[in-house]
Structure formats: C-alpha cells, structure tokens
Amino acid sequence: MIQFDGKIALVTGGTRGIGFQIAKDLHASGARVIVTGTTRDSLDRIRSEFAQGKETVEFYDVDFLSAESTKHFSLKIERLERVDILINNSGINRINPIDETNLTDWDDLAAVNLKAPLMLTRIISGKMKKHGYGRIVNIGSIFGVISKSKRTLYSMTKHGLHGLTIASALDLAPFGVLVNTVSPGFVMTELTRSILKPEEIKELSSQIPLGRFAGPEDISSIILFLCSSENRYITAQNIIVDGGFVNV
C-alpha cells in the first residue's frame, strides 16, 4: 500500500466529491492534509469522517472568487515551511452557448480554474525545489480534451490548466518535482446525483465502454500513485480516467 508518512499535502476544494476522496485517502495513507473550502462548517465533517486524529487535518477557508480571500490564503501558504503534494482540485462551471457567454463568467472561471492553480503552483513549487521533492496534480476534465455544447468557457479553462501542467513540469523536472493532469470523465458524486435524474445517469452510463460512472475512489487511486515516490518518471502528462468515453 502506498504510504505518505511525513508528507504534507494541500488539496483545494477538498470538502466534497473527488477532492474529499483524495484528501481522505491521502490522510488514511499517513499524510498531514490541508483542505480548502468555502465554509468553515466543513471542518467538523472532515474530521469526523477521516480515519485518524484531528491534529493531522487542517482546514483553510478560501473563496477564489474573492481577491481579498485569495490574497489572505496565499499569505498563509507562503508562511508554510514546506508542502510535498499539491492537488489543484477547485473548479467551477458556467453552462451557456457561445453567443450567451459573458466576460463576468469568464473572469470567474479563470479566477478559480486557472489563476488559483497558477498562484499555488508558483508559491509551492519554490518550496518543493528547496527540498528536492514534490508532486503536483491538476484536476482537469474530459471537457478539456473533448467538449460538448454550452461548455466553451469550461473547456477553455481546462485546456489552459493542462498548459500549466506541461510548462511547469518542464521547469520543475530538474528539481525532482513531477507535475501531471488527471482528467476525470463522469463521476458519481453528491453533485452528480443532485443534478442528474436516474434515467439520465442510466443513459450516460450506456455510452461509457465500462458501463458505469467512476466512483471518486477510481480517480483518487490514480492520483495517489502519481503523488507517491512510486511515480519516478511520469510528468507533464494528461491522464484521462473516463472508462473509455472519449474514444467512443
């Protein structure tokens, strides 16, 4: 089993869905985990559901749509001595056809999906270089590889996020820091269940070669490998975890 004893991991958007599973699995594998979210009441839920002691879980309240909140958060991160693992998981979406998109939506998606990962990668990669070790995983999407109607802004930002992966991976490779993108397909999370009807889930599942949505653990298991010392040679890659959907 992969272990992260002594490692410090930062997971943005780690209070629900894929981010929560990643944070929980890292914690169960021995890491000290810092989780970000937008509501402080998430901390009690995180601590109650994680398998080990409270002292190895921290919660930072940050809203990447707020310049003030983001600046306050960045100052906290700068004061950390080190971070070994960074998971840029926070993301938002706005669904509109191209002729109904607006610059406010673009500014919001760019702030959360692009600017925040850039900021954190810039700050934390310096700490990783200093210690000669680091793993960064940016959570993309199959809609950064393919797309569908009304996903213009989302696809733009997820394409851009992988651009950050490639370029930063090249800068950081000489220092033992590996950077990758993981792009999930359809994942069965609380949000998925709240927005899709059972018949819609059944129809989408029929279009996936493996015949089902991923569980959050299917995504997390890939990320844990990429973040571990077992991964010594994979960097600058976009790993698509979608049950074969993009190849249909």
Side-chain angles (χ1 to χ4, degrees):
M1 180 178 177
I2 292 172
Q3 291 295 314
F4 294 97
D5 295 334
K7 301 298 185 187
I8 300 173
L10 171 61
V11 182
T12 67
T15 61
R16 64 178 184 174
I18 295 171
F20 180 81
Q21 187 70 50
I22 296 166
K24 186 176 181 180
D25 290 347
L26 284 167
H27 185 255
S29 300
R32 171 188 162 199
V33 179
I34 301 169
V35 176
T36 80
T38 56
T39 56
R40 284 219 52 95
D41 59 6
S42 300
L43 180 57
D44 288 339
R45 172 175 170 259
I46 290 168
R47 286 178 167 172
S48 68
E49 293 196 33
F50 281 21
Q52 299 174 27
K54 296 180 180 180
E55 68 280 357
T56 55
V57 183
E58 294 180 61
F59 176 80
Y60 288 1
D61 185 357
V62 59
D63 179 0
F64 291 121
L65 290 175
S66 163
E68 181 179 357
S69 177
T70 301
K71 182 178 180 180
H72 182 67
F73 173 65
S74 70
L75 292 173
K76 283 185 175 181
I77 299 304
E78 286 175 350
R79 287 194 290 266
L80 295 173
E81 172 61 26
R82 71 174 225 271
V83 176
D84 304 294
I85 296 164
L86 169 62
I87 311 296
N88 283 311
N89 173 69
S90 289
I92 61 172
N93 193 6
R94 303 282 167 79
I95 298 175
N96 276 309
I98 182 62
D99 56 322
E100 295 179 19
T101 58
N102 61 70
L103 291 180
T104 299
D105 284 345
W106 164 249
D107 289 343
D108 288 351
L109 265 72
V112 178
N113 297 1
L114 287 174
K115 188 175 181 179
L118 171 61
M119 174 197 73
L120 288 170
T121 301
R122 179 181 63 82
I123 295 171
I124 290 173
S125 63
K127 302 177 189 297
M128 292 176 170
K129 286 168 64 175
K130 179 180 176 182
H131 291 91
Y133 179 90
R135 301 289 186 266
I136 300 172
V137 177
N138 295 317
I139 306 302
S141 168
I142 56 170
F143 295 130
V145 180
I146 59 173
S147 195
K148 63 184 296 187
S149 63
K150 303 181 181 181
R151 300 302 194 282
T152 300
L153 299 182
Y154 188 68
S155 286
M156 287 173 67
T157 58
K158 290 303 183 180
H159 271 279
L161 184 63
H162 186 54
L164 171 63
T165 292
I166 296 170
S168 60
L170 299 180
D171 285 343
L172 297 170
F175 303 95
V177 179
L178 308 184
V179 188
N180 290 287
T181 300
V182 168
S183 292
F186 298 104
V187 184
M188 189 58 66
T189 63
E190 305 98 312
L191 182 61
T192 300
R193 292 187 183 92
S194 70
I195 63 176
L196 291 181
K197 298 176 182 177
E199 56 268 27
E200 293 174 313
I201 293 173
K202 184 177 180 180
E203 173 60 26
L204 280 170
S205 295
S206 71
Q207 299 173 34
I208 300 169
L210 286 182
R212 65 175 179 86
F213 280 36
E217 64 278 4
D218 293 316
I219 312 303
S220 180
S221 63
I222 301 298
I223 292 164
L224 261 63
F225 170 75
L226 292 174
C227 291
S228 75
S229 57
E230 294 296 309
N231 174 27
R232 297 181 293 273
Y233 207 64
I234 300 172
T235 196
Q237 302 305 306
N238 187 3
I239 298 171
I240 300 167
V241 189
D242 72 338
F245 180 82
V246 301
N247 294 305
V248 174

